[in-house]
């Protein structure tokens, strides 16, 4: 059971709704639709549940009330705040003391707080801000309580893995743990935090002008399968550096793999690939094992007709292993299956070569070869004729009007 929630109670969303006249649901429906479309493009499976915070408000109210009753939270001026000093292990997860957290963080200093680090479980809403009824008046939940409440509703008081970026360890995950533990929930057994994304060795940021989305890459013609390959090439706990060189390498590798597939059905994935994934989701090692499998398969195939009888050297095992990583699935291969009537170009090439040989003028032939090469086609000439095929970066649009 995999749960991935959407935060649709947010001051920025509220501000946009007020500015545009759209409802929160209309705004979030659009954003969620775009997000899911991008995730489909990179082969990310949909979760079992995709809850929205607005659908679980009562659970958040109930959890906040429970924390007050148990002495871990208090109400002040329409707010409900978690008292961090009431939970002895607060800061243990992120390795910080409360004093360090106050000194190193931008905390909201408010007169109704007993401690500057106390965080909001519920806050009041005015007439122009979306809100829900509660024992403390009309209001809306704080960010942290949303996740704890939804996790409890859909996964229970204890669950296996909680994921997220390492920038969320404090305060978000620290606060989730505190409020969940204090209502008696074991919460997550294992935490997996991913590192941040870089671009050409620099942190991605709008100020540096190197900020882009998955949709931006797709619109630039980068296949979703290539994006996936590049992402999986770095361990999730290491900074992932997106570079044009890595994207080009990934596309070439995937093209080579797809070019050699013969339609054999996948069997069982290689144990070495599975072992790599079992070892803290080591996707780079799994990909390196895939490359070894591919070489074995190619070497075995070149030997002769019995090439697929050795399990580790078979196309079926290679394909199953790649598909375990979400690669080489048929619905991810549109970028590879570009329509290209190669024989039209072979015939044209041969006709121009005959003309050139007679006239001793190779201008037109060279122009056609240059056009094909510029479009990403591979042209191999020999005494017996010419071979033309698609390359990894083949773009038929660039050949418009050539014939």
């Amino acid at each position: 059971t995999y749960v991935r929630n959407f935060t649709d109670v947010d001051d920025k969303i509220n501000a946009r709704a007020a500015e545009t006249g759209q409802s929160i649901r209309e705004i979030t429906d659009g954003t969620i639709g775009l997000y899911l479309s991008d995730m489909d493009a990179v082969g990310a499976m949909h979760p079992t549940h995709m809850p929205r915070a607005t659908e679980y408000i009562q659970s958040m109210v109930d959890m906040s009330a429970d924390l007050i009753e148990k002495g871990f939270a208090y109400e002040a001026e329409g707010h409900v705040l978690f008292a961090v000093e009431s939970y002895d292990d607060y800061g243990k997860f992120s390795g910080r003391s409360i004093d360090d957290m106050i000194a190193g963080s931008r905390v909201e200093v408010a007169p109704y707080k007993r401690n500057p680090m106390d965080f909001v479980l519920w806050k009041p809403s005015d007439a122009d801000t979306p809100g829900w009824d509660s024992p403390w008046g009309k209001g809306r939940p704080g960010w942290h309580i949303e996740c704890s409440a939804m996790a409890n509703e859909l996964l229970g008081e204890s669950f296996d893995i909680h994921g997220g970026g390492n920038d969320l360890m404090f305060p978000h995950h620290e606060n989730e743990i505190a409020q969940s533990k204090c209502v008696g929930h074991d919460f997550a057994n294992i935490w997996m935090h991913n590192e941040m994304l870089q671009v050409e060795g620099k942190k991605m940021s709008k100020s540096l002008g190197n900020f882009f989305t998955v949709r931006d890459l797709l619109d630039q013609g980068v296949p979703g399968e290539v994006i996936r390959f590049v992402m999986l090439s770095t361990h999730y706990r290491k900074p992932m550096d997106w570079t044009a060189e890595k994207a080009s390498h990934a596309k070439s590798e995937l093209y080579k793999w797809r070019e050699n597939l013969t339609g054999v059905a996948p069997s069982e994935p290689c144990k070495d690939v599975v072992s790599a994934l079992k070892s803290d989701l080591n996707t780079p090692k799994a990909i390196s094992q895939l490359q070894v499998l591919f070489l074995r398969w190619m070497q075995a195939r070149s030997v002769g007709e019995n090439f697929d009888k050795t399990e580790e050297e078979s196309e079926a095992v290679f394909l199953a292993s790649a598909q375990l990583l979400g690669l080489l699935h048929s619905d991810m291969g549109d970028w590879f299956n570009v329509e290209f009537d190669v024989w039209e170009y072979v015939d044209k090439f041969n006709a121009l070569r005959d003309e050139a040989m007679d006239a001793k003028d190779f201008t037109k032939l060279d122009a056609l070869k240059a056009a094909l090469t510029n479009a990403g086609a591979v042209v191999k000439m020999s005494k017996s004729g010419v071979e033309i095929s698609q390359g990894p970066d083949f773009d038929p649009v660039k050949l418009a009007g050539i014939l």
Side-chain angles (χ1 to χ4, degrees):
T1 303
Y2 171 33
V3 177
R4 182 181 63 206
N5 66 286
F6 291 110
T7 299
D8 59 350
V9 182
D10 179 90
D11 288 344
K12 290 182 180 179
I13 298 174
N14 294 340
R16 188 173 167 195
E19 180 184 332
T20 63
Q22 290 181 290
S23 69
I24 288 176
R25 188 76 184 198
E26 288 174 323
I27 292 171
T28 54
D29 275 352
T31 306
I32 289 170
L34 292 171
Y35 172 73
L36 292 178
S37 175
D38 291 351
M39 291 302 97
D40 289 341
V42 297
M45 295 170 66
H46 285 203
T48 319
H49 304 287
M50 293 188 283
R52 302 184 190 210
T54 50
E55 298 167 345
Y56 291 85
I57 298 295
Q58 189 58 50
S59 298
M60 300 166 199
V61 170
D62 292 344
M63 185 174 281
S64 299
D66 194 13
L67 285 165
I68 292 176
E69 184 178 341
K70 287 181 165 67
F72 295 104
Y74 57 94
E75 187 271 336
E77 298 181 22
H79 296 77
V80 177
L81 298 117
F82 183 90
V84 296
E85 289 179 313
S86 68
Y87 178 55
D88 292 339
D89 285 339
Y90 191 78
K92 184 177 179 180
F93 180 70
S94 56
R96 311 180 188 201
S97 69
I98 291 178
D99 289 340
D100 288 341
M101 287 186 270
I102 293 174
S105 303
R106 290 178 294 179
V107 295
E108 180 189 6
V109 178
Y112 51 78
K113 284 188 176 185
R114 297 176 184 172
N115 184 307
M117 288 304 301
D118 291 350
F119 59 88
V120 172
L121 302 176
W122 187 265
K123 54 188 172 182
S125 295
D126 58 29
D128 298 323
T129 306
W132 291 262
D133 291 334
S134 80
W136 318 287
K138 179 189 175 186
R140 58 200 191 279
W143 175 31
H144 313 299
I145 197 71
E146 295 176 15
C147 297
S148 287
M150 286 186 279
N152 182 55
E153 287 289 330
L154 295 168
L155 293 169
E157 296 183 1
S158 177
F159 57 94
D160 295 317
I161 300 172
H162 193 314
N166 62 3
D167 57 329
L168 297 179
M169 286 185 70
F170 179 83
H172 186 47
H173 293 164
E174 187 78 66
N175 292 353
E176 279 187 89
I177 291 170
Q179 62 203 10
S180 295
K181 292 279 191 180
C182 289
V183 294
H185 300 169
D186 290 334
F187 208 51
N189 297 323
I190 295 170
W191 290 80
M192 296 174 72
H193 290 96
N194 62 276
E195 253 288 356
M196 297 295 101
L197 178 65
Q198 297 179 343
V199 179
E200 303 289 349
K202 296 180 179 179
K203 180 183 177 182
M204 177 186 273
S205 68
K206 291 182 179 179
S207 62
L208 292 176
N210 65 352
F211 178 88
F212 54 83
T213 64
V214 168
R215 178 53 48 185
D216 292 332
L217 292 176
L218 294 170
D219 289 344
Q220 292 166 21
V222 181
E225 189 174 39
V226 170
I227 299 172
R228 183 181 187 89
F229 188 106
V230 174
M231 292 286 187
L232 296 179
S233 296
T234 300
H235 193 274
Y236 76 90
R237 286 192 288 104
K238 302 285 186 183
M240 210 297 291
D241 190 19
W242 176 274
T243 69
E245 183 181 357
K246 285 182 179 179
S248 177
H249 168 75
K251 193 172 185 181
S252 296
E253 192 80 351
L254 287 166
Y255 188 90
K256 181 174 61 179
W257 292 355
R258 284 190 172 274
E259 191 177 32
N260 283 282
L261 294 178
T262 65
V264 171
S267 58
E268 293 295 323
C270 171
K271 63 181 184 300
D272 290 336
V273 172
V274 175
S275 177
L277 295 177
K278 284 183 176 180
S279 179
D280 196 18
L281 207 63
N282 194 336
T283 53
K285 186 174 181 179
I287 287 179
S288 69
Q289 292 294 340
L290 266 185
Q291 292 165 329
V292 170
L293 282 177
F294 179 75
L295 289 175
R296 286 180 183 169
W297 167 37
M298 290 292 98
Q299 290 166 357
R301 187 169 72 172
S302 67
V303 172
E305 60 181 12
N306 294 325
F307 76 92
D308 63 347
K309 290 187 177 178
T310 303
E311 184 180 355
E312 289 189 354
E313 297 170 351
S314 73
E315 177 181 352
V317 170
F318 169 74
L319 183 57
S321 303
Q323 290 186 346
L324 181 61
L325 285 164
L327 304 170
L328 303 188
H329 287 283
S330 58
D331 59 355
M332 295 282 284
D334 288 348
W335 67 274
F336 177 81
N337 300 317
V338 178
E339 289 189 14
F340 177 43
D341 190 346
V342 65
W343 294 111
E344 283 188 304
Y345 291 93
V346 169
D347 291 343
K348 179 71 171 179
F349 203 96
N350 286 333
L352 287 178
R353 186 164 70 169
D354 290 342
E355 287 180 23
M357 296 294 285
D358 291 338
K360 300 295 187 278
D361 182 357
F362 292 84
T363 305
K364 292 182 180 179
L365 182 66
D366 289 342
L368 178 59
K369 182 180 179 182
L372 286 163
T373 303
N374 182 58
V378 179
V379 181
K380 296 180 180 179
M381 298 173 61
S382 67
K383 291 180 180 179
S384 59
V386 63
E387 291 182 20
I388 301 175
S389 60
Q390 300 177 30
D393 298 312
F394 179 69
D395 182 0
V397 175
K398 294 181 179 179
L399 293 176
I402 294 296
L403 293 179

